[in-house]
Amino acid sequence: MSDPKTAGGLRPEWARSQVYIGGRWREPAAGRITPVENPATETVIGTAADADAADVQTAVSAAAAAFPAWSSLPPAGRLEALERFHAALERRRHLLVETTVAEVGAPVRVAREAHVDTGLAVLRAYLDAAAEVAWEERVGNSLVVREGIGVAACITPWNYPFYQVLAKIGGALAAGAAVVLKPAELTPLSAYLIADAADEAGLPPGVFNLVPGTGPIVGEALVAHPAVDAVSFTGSTRVGSHVAALAAATVKRVSLELGGKSASIILPGADLEPAVRASVEAAMLNSGQTCTAWTRLLVPRAAFEAALRLAAARAEEFTVGDPTRPETDLGPLVSAAQRRTVTGFIERAAAGGARIVTGGPQRPAGLVRGHYVQPTVVTDVAPDAEIVQEEVFGPVLTVQSYEDVDEAITLANGTPYGLAGAVWGDRDAAVAVARRLRTGQVDINGGAFNPAAPFGGYRRSGNGRELGRWGIEEFLETKALQL
């Protein structure tokens, strides 16, 4: 770790004040820092640089200078450097888990498994997938070559700050692009540890650059910069639309992973209890702050009341509280503003006639500090209700009934989003339903996450794909040499 400044007794790993540009740590142009809050305790546990447009200019220039040599390396040469990077991250695994608990509020088990280990698995899958990319191929009298796109701006959200960074920079770096990373200002500390690992691994100067700061200043400067060739953004649909509009002026490639409102469909005859339990658990993972969360449970009318009882019972089993305690299932939301957003959805739904089966907008018992929300199950909601149509991003599940499978598919497809989903039942029937869903990823009977498979959305959930060879190809240009 090369940024040892401390402030007010903070841990040195979390008391950061610099940007990482051109292979070295340096003070941000304006010399500003911003505090990082622990959402469980509402205390400051770290700091980060608050960069500006001048830092963006320096970082983009460093990336542009590094790109020719990095992209001209044979893929095996880049992979050798990225293997060192992966090993350096592995050595920081425990610290990364601690950091995720502290800045996100994720419980220890969730931080370890869903955040850190999944992120490491994603990077490993990129390294394996590089061998699957058709870097060169003959087509008639043409030699078709694939080469890095140039400078890639990677802008990541706060909900999975380690995983989301690796999902972007892993593909970009394997492709031969040079990266400028802007992490979310609420959760920048994991990105600093990633930069430490890149520095230790000896990635060539300028290949990876870290510029923390706000979206309106750093994010917009990156997206609009004429020397940035590609933008990969994960966040809300509203901001993603703005990113695409800004990038259009310079006709750069834009990949967007945006909101979700995913449905879990339980088919007639499916084993109800495990399907409901798994659906509730998926909706509540990371306190519901997961873009792929199955936030809408669709069940046959005949099974509706039984499903409601099972869903409420599972939600009430969760232990909500201190994320450092091993028995905790749900930690806080990331900020006071996010808590207000989520409780506002619940309050408006109840005011509009929805039934709160369990949970609600009140604080969980005994938790007077921290941005906590009860695991909440809501029903008696119309298909066009706000809580059904819009991404809540908190521990809230709606339950709806359907008459037949066609109606279930109509309900599942009946939002502007299309990121993920699930189907439960006879495998062939479930696959047939999944094929009719307008969404980028569907789990069949609880199929496991695959870090080598493509991930991305339809419609207002975005465009482009991350993970595996598809995530590498997002950062490649294709050139034909006529021989």
Side-chain angles (χ1 to χ4, degrees):
M1 205 247 315
S2 304
D3 183 16
K5 296 186 178 181
T6 60
L10 302 178
R11 286 180 60 164
E13 301 95 337
W14 299 343
R16 314 304 287 259
S17 63
Q18 297 178 312
V19 295
Y20 184 74
I21 297 175
R24 67 182 183 89
W25 293 100
R26 60 179 80 191
E27 296 300 321
R32 295 189 305 264
I33 63 170
T34 187
V36 180
E37 182 196 64
N38 181 321
T41 63
E42 300 185 49
T43 59
V44 172
I45 48 91
T47 56
D50 184 10
D52 63 14
D55 300 302
V56 170
Q57 178 62 49
T58 306
V60 172
S61 296
F67 168 69
W70 179 247
S71 64
S72 65
L73 278 176
R78 293 195 295 272
L79 293 182
E80 182 180 346
L82 294 176
E83 285 284 1
R84 297 195 303 270
F85 178 47
H86 186 277
L89 290 170
E90 285 273 13
R91 287 191 286 274
R92 289 165 172 78
R93 179 174 176 267
H94 181 71
L95 178 57
L96 283 160
V97 172
E98 284 187 303
T99 302
T100 302
V101 173
E103 68 177 346
V104 181
V108 174
R109 177 185 58 80
V110 175
R112 182 176 58 249
E113 297 174 5
H115 287 255
V116 175
D117 287 352
T118 301
L120 290 169
V122 161
L123 181 56
R124 168 54 55 199
Y126 276 133
L127 302 182
D128 295 341
E132 303 171 14
V133 175
W135 298 101
E136 294 187 4
E137 60 181 315
R138 286 295 298 265
V139 180
N141 70 310
S142 298
L143 176 65
V144 179
V145 298
R146 313 293 295 283
E147 56 192 26
I149 195 168
V151 176
C154 297
I155 302 174
T156 55
W158 46 259
N159 58 327
Y160 286 87
F162 179 71
Y163 160 82
Q164 293 280 8
V165 170
L166 293 185
K168 294 186 183 303
I169 72 169
L173 294 172
V179 167
V180 181
L181 170 67
K182 191 209 89 66
E185 52 265 40
L186 288 175
T187 56
L189 302 179
S190 295
Y192 271 101
L193 300 181
I194 291 170
D196 290 339
D199 192 63
E200 179 189 311
L203 294 187
V207 165
F208 171 82
N209 306 274
L210 172 65
V211 187
T214 66
I217 296 176
V218 172
E220 292 197 9
L222 268 174
V223 171
H225 199 293
V228 169
D229 301 284
V231 175
S232 180
F233 170 85
T234 296
S236 71
T237 298
R238 178 185 60 82
V239 177
S241 177
H242 181 58
V243 166
L246 279 177
T250 47
V251 200
K252 52 175 59 76
R253 185 181 302 174
V254 179
S255 300
L256 301 172
E257 195 262 279
L258 307 176
K261 196 65 186 174
S262 303
S264 179
I265 303 174
I266 301 178
L267 296 179
D271 193 346
L272 190 65
E273 194 272 343
V276 171
R277 287 184 66 87
S279 299
V280 174
E281 289 162 5
M284 306 298 171
L285 177 66
N286 207 41
S287 297
Q289 300 169 127
T290 302
C291 54
T292 56
W294 306 336
T295 54
R296 297 181 294 140
L297 180 60
L298 307 180
V299 296
R301 192 149 294 143
F304 180 63
E305 292 300 331
L308 273 182
R309 290 192 296 271
L310 289 167
R314 180 66 188 103
E316 290 165 2
E317 290 174 357
F318 288 114
T319 298
V320 183
D322 182 352
T324 65
R325 298 178 66 86
E327 67 270 20
T328 296
D329 299 307
L330 298 188
L333 300 187
V334 76
S335 67
Q338 187 61 23
R339 183 180 185 278
R340 287 192 297 270
T341 295
V342 172
T343 56
F345 271 103
I346 299 170
E347 290 165 351
R348 290 190 298 276
R355 173 162 49 115
I356 309 300
V357 182
T358 191
Q362 304 81 12
R363 280 185 169 274
L367 295 173
V368 297
R369 187 168 65 171
H371 311 308
Y372 292 96
V373 173
Q374 298 182 66
T376 299
V377 177
V378 180
T379 193
D380 296 347
V381 287
D384 61 352
E386 177 196 48
I387 203 166
V388 174
Q389 289 290 316
E390 296 300 326
E391 186 174 43
V392 176
F393 228 56
V396 179
L397 173 72
T398 62
V399 184
Q400 297 168 268
S401 66
Y402 65 84
E403 190 64 40
D404 55 32
V405 171
D406 285 341
E407 184 185 8
I409 293 168
T410 298
L411 290 171
N413 288 336
T415 78
Y417 300 100
L419 191 58
V423 186
W424 304 82
D426 171 79
R427 180 173 177 176
D428 290 343
V431 169
V433 169
R435 289 180 181 276
R436 295 173 63 187
L437 299 183
R438 297 281 295 162
T439 191
Q441 190 173 88
V442 185
D443 294 355
I444 306 298
N445 294 325
F449 172 72
N450 181 359
F455 173 72
Y458 286 30
R459 298 180 291 163
R460 287 182 60 192
S461 287
N463 54 60
R465 292 296 181 267
E466 294 180 335
L467 309 186
R469 66 175 175 85
W470 295 269
I472 297 173
E473 289 169 352
E474 284 291 327
F475 297 97
L476 291 174
E477 288 283 21
T478 303
K479 179 185 292 180
L481 309 179
Q482 322 302 2
L483 304 177

